[in-house]
């Protein structure tokens, strides 16, 4: 199956700092999503981004499908950004129906 | 309530008990997925429904796991004779449309999950 690797595994920031999270994947993808899992366990959609660049407030994401990676940028971080960030992909081809394969996540801690 | 809902939010079971976990999808969403998330890990795929048809159950870890979606809306994940290794968070996700002819799929929206602890 497709491999998804996220880096760094852990990230500690002071409030106001910027950060970049990376997701590498081993095969072509139909679907790539970034999620934030809050301390209560809820997976919150950040971006649906199988290719290209999107921005939403302080967050932006870029996927370079031909090079098999995606980046999530967080600017001016806030304590509420703390949690686990997951990248999830669906391999293209075959009949995966949208089945997502998740990376191991990046644990982000933002200190005041 | 516009989101995916799941119940119960927490379930404690004694080893050997049967449990049933419920997922209420966003109204009208065609596709429904179940995932299992062990502590400290990313979610892993269990099974997929398109309307009432279970099209992929390749991720179910054993024949003790059974899922259904009889009317193409609410889904239930049942675990028989629970074991300690079944302890995890069980997540449900839904998608508005079935996959496009190109193979591209749409955004998945996740419920809050059910945390199952087997003693």
């Amino acid at each position: 199956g497709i491999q998804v690797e996220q880096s760094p595994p852990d990230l500690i920031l002071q409030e106001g700092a910027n950060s970049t999270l990376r997701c590498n994947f081993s095969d072509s993808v139909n679907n790539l999503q970034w999620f934030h899992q809050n301390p209560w366990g809820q997976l919150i959609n950040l971006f649906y981004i199988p290719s290209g660049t999107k921005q939403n407030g302080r967050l932006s994401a870029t996927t370079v499908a031909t090079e098999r990676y995606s980046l999530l940028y967080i600017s001016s971080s806030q304590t509420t950004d703390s949690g686990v960030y997951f990248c999830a992909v669906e391999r293209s081809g075959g009949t995966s129906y949208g089945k997502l394969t998740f990376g191991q996540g990046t644990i982000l801690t933002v200190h005041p | 309530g516009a989101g995916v809902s799941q119940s119960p939010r927490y379930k404690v079971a004694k080893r050997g008990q049967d449990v049933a976990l419920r997922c209420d999808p966003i109204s009208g969403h065609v596709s429904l997925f179940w995932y299992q998330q062990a502590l400290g890990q990313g979610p892993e795929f269990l099974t997929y429904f398109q309307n009432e048809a279970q099209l992929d159950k390749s991720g179910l870890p054993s024949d003790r796991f059974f899922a259904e979606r009889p009317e193409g809306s609410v889904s239930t994940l049942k675990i028989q004779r629970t074991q300690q290794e079944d302890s995890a968070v069980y997540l449900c996700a839904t998608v508005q449309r079935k996959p496009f002819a190109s193979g591209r799929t749409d955004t998945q929206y996740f419920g809050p999950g059910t945390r199952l602890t087997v003693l």
Side-chain angles (χ1 to χ4, degrees):
Chain A
I2 192 167
Q3 305 300 311
V4 182
E5 295 183 0
Q6 290 187 243
S7 59
D10 298 276
L11 187 57
I12 299 174
L13 302 174
Q14 287 297 125
E15 202 167 27
N18 302 328
S19 61
T20 301
L21 282 59
R22 185 176 180 104
C23 173
N24 292 334
F25 42 95
S26 61
D27 208 339
S28 300
V29 299
N30 275 337
N31 181 358
L32 187 147
Q33 290 186 241
W34 282 98
F35 295 92
H36 174 213
Q37 191 164 43
N38 64 23
W40 296 271
Q42 176 74 57
L43 275 169
I44 299 165
N45 288 299
L46 298 177
F47 294 101
Y48 170 86
I49 188 166
S51 62
T53 296
K54 291 185 177 179
Q55 180 157 6
N56 184 4
R58 296 182 295 105
L59 303 182
S60 63
T62 296
T63 297
V64 183
T66 52
E67 297 188 19
R68 299 183 182 169
Y69 73 89
S70 184
L71 302 174
L72 177 69
Y73 305 97
I74 304 174
S75 65
S76 304
S77 58
Q78 301 176 357
T79 56
T80 52
D81 294 333
S82 296
V84 185
Y85 289 79
F86 286 104
C87 167
V89 304
E90 178 208 355
R91 188 176 66 87
S92 62
T95 53
S96 57
Y97 306 116
K99 174 174 71 175
L100 292 177
T101 299
F102 283 76
Q104 292 296 299
T106 292
I107 302 173
L108 175 64
T109 304
V110 181
H111 291 301
Chain B
V4 180
S5 61
Q6 294 186 243
S7 61
R9 292 293 314 277
Y10 303 90
K11 177 69 178 177
V12 178
K14 292 182 179 179
R15 195 175 69 159
Q17 276 186 327
D18 298 348
V19 299
L21 312 180
R22 178 185 170 108
C23 173
D24 286 82
I26 296 172
S27 179
H29 276 208
V30 168
S31 298
L32 185 146
F33 298 82
W34 283 98
Y35 293 85
Q36 179 190 57
Q37 186 175 20
L39 189 64
Q41 304 293 317
E44 293 189 350
F45 169 80
L46 293 177
T47 187
Y48 164 72
F49 290 87
Q50 190 176 108
N51 295 307
E52 69 279 3
Q54 188 176 21
L55 299 184
D56 188 345
K57 53 182 180 179
S58 62
L60 296 177
S62 79
D63 58 7
R64 296 185 296 102
F65 287 70
F66 172 76
E68 60 183 6
R69 194 185 186 199
E71 297 178 359
S73 178
V74 171
S75 178
T76 304
L77 176 66
K78 298 179 179 178
I79 309 173
Q80 297 177 323
R81 304 181 303 281
T82 52
Q83 304 294 314
Q84 284 188 324
E85 61 262 29
D86 300 335
S87 296
V89 176
Y90 291 86
L91 295 162
C92 175
T94 69
V95 180
Q96 184 175 14
R97 291 171 287 201
K98 62 184 181 181
F100 300 107
S102 65
R104 181 151 287 193
T105 56
D106 221 341
T107 304
Q108 291 191 27
Y109 296 93
F110 280 77
T114 295
R115 182 177 298 276
L116 173 65
T117 302
V118 181
L119 303 177

